[in-house]
Amino acid sequence: MPIEFVRISEGGELATAICLNATPVPVLWAWLNTACRALREREGIPDSREDGLGILTVTYTSAGPLADWARARGIEELIWTALPACMAGVEGRIPALDEAVEYLQQLEG
């Protein structure tokens, strides 16, 4: 999956997000009965934010890298955190590698 550290969350952590121009990396997955609710709670995504979750039901007409990945593994539905990249409080801005490293070096704890 094309996942990269491209989002600085409101809590200040550098987080991963699906970024279609990222190099694909191995991912782990699991079946979750309450995935949407659990994901919203874990990520602190309010119900009012419609773009916070991505949901894909894979059918024979589904196309693209997410559908291809799921189909190859026999997965019928995907749910993921669909928040965009964010750097310096600007959603949609993908940090450069040196920006991400500098950000991490500034963290304490």
Side-chain angles (χ1 to χ4, degrees):
M1 293 296 296
I3 297 175
E4 188 57 78
F5 286 94
V6 296
R7 180 173 179 78
I8 296 177
S9 71
E10 291 180 18
E13 65 269 12
L14 181 60
T16 57
I18 292 176
C19 185
L20 294 179
N21 61 344
T23 301
V25 297
V27 297
L28 301 176
W29 56 274
W31 300 104
L32 300 173
N33 292 334
T34 58
C36 288
R37 176 63 33 217
L39 190 55
R40 278 191 182 280
E41 288 177 15
R42 187 188 83 203
E43 297 295 330
I45 302 169
D47 290 335
S48 61
R49 183 157 186 175
E50 295 180 13
D51 70 338
L53 296 182
I55 301 170
L56 174 66
T57 299
V58 180
T59 67
Y60 68 93
T61 60
S62 300
L66 298 178
D68 293 345
W69 180 87
R71 195 176 289 110
R73 289 156 179 80
I75 298 171
E76 297 173 357
E77 289 188 307
L78 296 175
I79 301 170
W80 67 94
T81 303
L83 297 170
C86 183
M87 182 66 184
V90 179
E91 285 206 348
R93 181 166 178 257
I94 297 174
L97 176 59
D98 59 328
E99 291 177 306
V101 170
E102 180 181 340
Y103 177 80
L104 291 173
Q105 288 174 336
Q106 294 174 5
L107 297 177
E108 296 179 13

